[in-house]
Structure formats: structure tokens, C-alpha cells
Amino acid sequence: MENTETVRSCPFDFAERLEFDPQLREVLTEEPVSRIRMAYGAEDAWLVTRYEDVRTVTTDRRFSRAAVLGRDFPRMTPEPIVQAESINLMDPPAGTRLRGLVAKSFTARRIAHMRQRTQIIVDQLLTDMEKDGSPADFTAAVAAPLPLITICEVLDIPEADRPWLRAHALTMMNTGAAGKEAAVRAKAELRSYFGEITAERRRDPGEDMLSTLATARDGAELLDDDELAVMAMVLLITGQDTTTYQLGNIAYTLLTRPDVLGPLRAAPDRLPRTLEELLRHIPFRKGVGIPRIALEDVELGGVTVKAGDVVHVSYLTANRDGRKFDRPDEIDPDRPSIPHMTFGWGAHHCLGAPLATMELEVAFSTLLDRFPRLRLAVPPDEIRWNTTSIWRYPLALPVTW
């Protein structure tokens, strides 16, 4: 079929609490494969929204992440967040090799060991929150520090460096055009920092994940210095930012949805499946991430995507596709087990998903056990939300008990 000439302007700036973006809903319903124009980048793109079409784009070798290199691709931030050497821009088999090395750090045994340490961290954070008294800010007391402490301990990042690293990561996520220079500088400084620290671990490895990556071999191959530094950056940013935001989003949802929280309090063993459903349901980011390039003409969703076209996918809409999920806008922990796409799909599925899931399970099982009367300390409409970056989350979440 012929390509449509209609190009939608998609700033992806909707940030109304955790309501689903009405523009994304419209595209999913009316034009599941659409032409879009974004705030930054020199060209237009396709936006793919249905679950099955997203799965095709993320698994079909005719769509390449590596091919975006050197292109001013359409995006949400003035400076691309992704680095040229990042695993996020690698296609199989190069990406497969690198993911195999990284996966050595996320084995079931390592995650089980991390769970013990995470439990200790959560216990201490909740003890401090209780000691400081009610009301407390769950974001400041738990959601912000827990993932940062956890990933920095996993990477063995000195405690004194952690606030600086988090500030730089936040700078890279801002969507405002005025922040471009700061984002470029933050990315360069993070790159330099991790270049130095990974070189140290290569010379004198310890028991941490960076040392594991620095010395892990795939046959005779090691990660090269650039790959190692960029991988460390990716682990830091994805290992703390996204989990922080989901801790806040899930806490807010539970505390404003007694129909979800009540059954969970009555049957704590429902937590894993409740968390999976909340991960599917909550639109924790805006818009889209890193696109792909079509390597040849591909018919998709009734339109022809031409070779060389930029293709974005929306995991958010895939998670709300009524063709895949019955009553997609409802929260139903008892729905049939269908994999959600919150951690991505295919060759770029988030390697840290087991770590993030473990942190969420430990945090909420302990929180609900220790604070059976936990509730919001202010009306929901008084909660302040982030509106300046690609992520959606409460800036503060006042709670009482």
C-alpha cells in the first residue's frame, strides 16, 4: 500500500499524573502505523503502536538500531541520550556477544545475593523513615536512594561520587532545548568518569559488576575500553533512574487505588503478579526511545515502510493494545499472563529487568508489612509531578501511617 502523507506533530509532552497520553491512544486506535514529527531531529519517522507490530520491528533483522549512527534521528531530547558505542545501538550478532558478557552479571545466583543486600538497604531506609516521623516523603526516603545505593554497590561506586552521578544522569534526561549544552557536558563528563574507573577495575579487579565486565571473556574477547565505559554508564542510568520512578509511581497507584491495594494486603503472595500488572499499566515514560532504520521495504500494519525510513515503536501503546490485553485500561492482577513490554522486547530487552523486579518486590513487600496503615498524607491532586524530562513520576510523595 502507499504511504500516508499525513504527518502528526508528536511532542510527547503529555504529563498529567499517570493518565495515558491521549495522543498515543488516538494513534493506536485510528492509525496504528503513523508518520510523526518530533521536537528534535532532522527527519520524520514512523510510529508503530500495536503489540504485534512492535514485536515485529524489535525482532526482525530488517530493522536496525546500528543504522541510526550518524543520523540526526527524531527524538525527545535536544542531545541524544544514547552513546555511539552503547549496546543499545548494536544489532545481532555484535549486540548478542556484548549482552552475553553483561548477562554474566545478572545470573539467578547473583540476583539472589543482591536480594539479601537489598533487603538490608530497604530495612534501614524504612527504619530511618519511621524514625524521622510521619508524614514522610516516600520519594526522598525510599524511591530515590534505594536504586542508587543498590546499583552503586553492585558497581562499587564510591559513596562520595553518587550524588554527582545522579545529577548528571538527570541532566541528560531533560527535554528542554535550553538544556542541550548542559546535557552534552554531562554526557562527556560521565563518559570520562567511567573511562577512568573501568580502567582501574581492569588493572585491579574486585568482586563488583564492573570488574566482572572488565574481565569477562566471550571466547578470547574482552569488552574494549570504550564498550566497557559506555556499558558502565548504561548500567548506572538504567539501574537507578527507571527503578526510582517506578517505585514512586507504583506507591502512588497503590495508595490511590484501594481496589488494588486491599486484595494485596489481604493476600501478600499476590505481590509479584500485581507488580507485573502495574508495570504493564503505568505509563512511566513519555513517547518513545531509540528508533530503528528499515534496511529494506517492509509492509507493516497496512503501510509500506521504505528502506532508510526511521521507525519508532511505542511500548506504552503495546501494553494497552486491546487486541492483546482484554480490558487493557483496567488494572487486573489476575489477567492471563501475557508478557508486557515495559522492559522492552527482543534484542534490546532490558538486561537489568531481574534486578529492577527484585528491588520492587523487596521494597513493597517490606513496606506493606511494616506500615499496614500507610496512606497518602495529602489529597492526590496535591501531588507534584515531573514535567521536564522523558520520565513521569511524583517529585514528592507525602505519606503517613
Side-chain angles (χ1 to χ4, degrees):
M1 296 180 63
E2 288 301 312
N3 293 347
T4 176
E5 295 299 319
T6 304
V7 180
R8 298 171 183 261
S9 175
C10 288
F12 295 127
D13 56 359
F14 183 79
E16 186 67 29
R17 295 193 288 271
L18 292 177
E19 299 298 317
F20 198 78
D21 185 337
Q23 186 178 40
L24 283 177
R25 187 184 303 282
E26 178 183 295
V27 174
L28 173 64
T29 304
E30 298 180 3
E31 196 178 4
V33 181
S34 310
R35 292 294 285 168
I36 65 168
R37 180 166 299 141
M38 297 176 64
Y40 305 99
E43 49 193 325
D44 297 334
W46 291 101
L47 175 61
V48 176
T49 57
R50 289 180 181 172
Y51 188 101
E52 292 300 336
D53 290 338
V54 169
R55 186 155 67 175
T56 295
V57 173
T58 53
T59 57
D60 193 317
R61 294 285 185 92
R62 293 176 294 176
F63 297 95
S64 168
R65 274 270 185 90
V68 307
L69 276 170
R71 293 177 67 155
D72 186 15
F73 61 86
R75 59 190 182 275
M76 296 177 60
T77 56
E79 170 70 5
I81 296 170
V82 71
Q83 302 260 4
E85 299 88 355
S86 173
I87 190 174
N88 294 332
L89 288 185
M90 292 183 180
D91 296 328
T96 307
R97 176 188 71 84
L98 194 53
R99 287 176 67 86
L101 292 174
V102 177
K104 296 177 187 293
S105 299
F106 290 107
T107 62
R109 182 181 64 82
R110 277 184 172 266
I111 295 296
H113 176 73
M114 292 178 201
R115 181 182 286 268
Q116 296 174 8
R117 179 58 189 151
T118 301
Q119 184 67 64
I120 293 170
I121 297 167
V122 168
D123 287 341
Q124 186 59 57
L125 291 174
L126 292 179
T127 295
D128 292 343
M129 184 175 85
E130 188 172 25
K131 189 183 305 178
D132 291 340
S134 170
D137 176 10
F138 178 80
T139 298
V142 180
L146 171 60
L148 183 62
I149 293 171
T150 301
I151 195 63
C152 284
E153 289 200 355
V154 166
L155 301 176
D156 194 19
I157 300 295
E159 190 168 347
D161 297 347
R162 297 173 188 179
W164 180 87
L165 291 170
R166 174 158 176 76
H168 276 53
L170 290 173
T171 298
M172 290 174 60
M173 305 298 171
N174 287 337
T175 56
K180 179 176 175 64
E181 287 187 12
V184 171
R185 188 165 56 251
K187 187 160 74 169
E189 290 179 0
L190 280 174
R191 175 71 171 268
S192 175
Y193 174 88
F194 279 108
E196 292 176 10
I197 200 168
T198 52
E200 291 174 5
R201 302 297 164 83
R202 185 96 76 186
R203 292 191 300 268
D204 186 19
E207 299 298 320
D208 59 282
M209 188 185 294
L210 286 186
S211 295
T212 299
L213 291 174
T215 56
R217 292 183 179 273
D218 177 25
E221 291 190 76
L222 287 164
L223 296 181
D224 68 34
D225 292 344
D226 286 335
E227 288 176 334
L228 184 58
V230 172
M231 178 51 61
M233 282 182 62
V234 170
L235 288 170
L236 173 85
I237 293 171
T238 59
Q240 50 105 6
D241 261 22
T242 51
T243 310
T244 284
Y245 306 145
Q246 286 294 57
L247 281 162
N249 290 335
I250 291 171
Y252 170 83
T253 303
L254 289 174
L255 296 177
T256 55
R257 292 290 300 267
D259 58 315
V260 180
L261 181 57
L264 186 55
R265 287 199 187 283
D269 62 336
R270 292 170 57 91
L271 180 62
R273 63 185 181 215
T274 299
L275 288 176
E276 284 298 307
E277 174 66 351
L278 290 172
L279 287 170
R280 179 198 71 82
H281 183 268
I282 291 171
F284 81 113
R285 64 164 297 149
K286 301 176 191 174
V288 294
I290 307 167
R292 292 165 176 80
I293 307 298
L295 300 180
E296 59 185 76
D297 291 1
V298 182
E299 186 168 320
L300 196 66
V303 302
T304 300
V305 176
K306 296 293 185 67
D309 284 355
V310 180
V311 183
H312 270 293
V313 299
S314 172
Y315 296 127
L316 300 172
T317 55
N319 282 343
R320 295 293 189 102
D321 186 351
R323 297 165 187 79
K324 196 70 179 179
F325 300 98
D326 185 37
R327 299 167 289 108
D329 296 326
E330 296 181 20
I331 299 175
D332 178 12
D334 296 319
R335 71 171 62 249
S337 180
I338 298 171
H340 61 74
M341 291 191 173
T342 297
F343 292 117
W345 198 267
H348 293 283
H349 183 271
C350 176
L351 283 163
L355 177 61
T357 301
M358 178 272 288
E359 289 182 63
L360 294 173
E361 288 181 359
V362 171
F364 284 107
S365 63
T366 311
L367 179 73
L368 297 178
D369 179 59
R370 289 186 57 173
F371 296 90
R373 296 170 60 85
L374 189 74
R375 59 193 184 278
L376 288 182
V378 299
D381 60 7
E382 291 185 16
I383 302 294
R384 296 179 302 113
W385 292 83
N386 172 66
T387 60
T388 61
S389 84
I390 64 176
W391 306 113
R392 298 172 66 183
Y393 59 93
L395 295 172
L397 194 65
V399 295
T400 187
W401 50 89

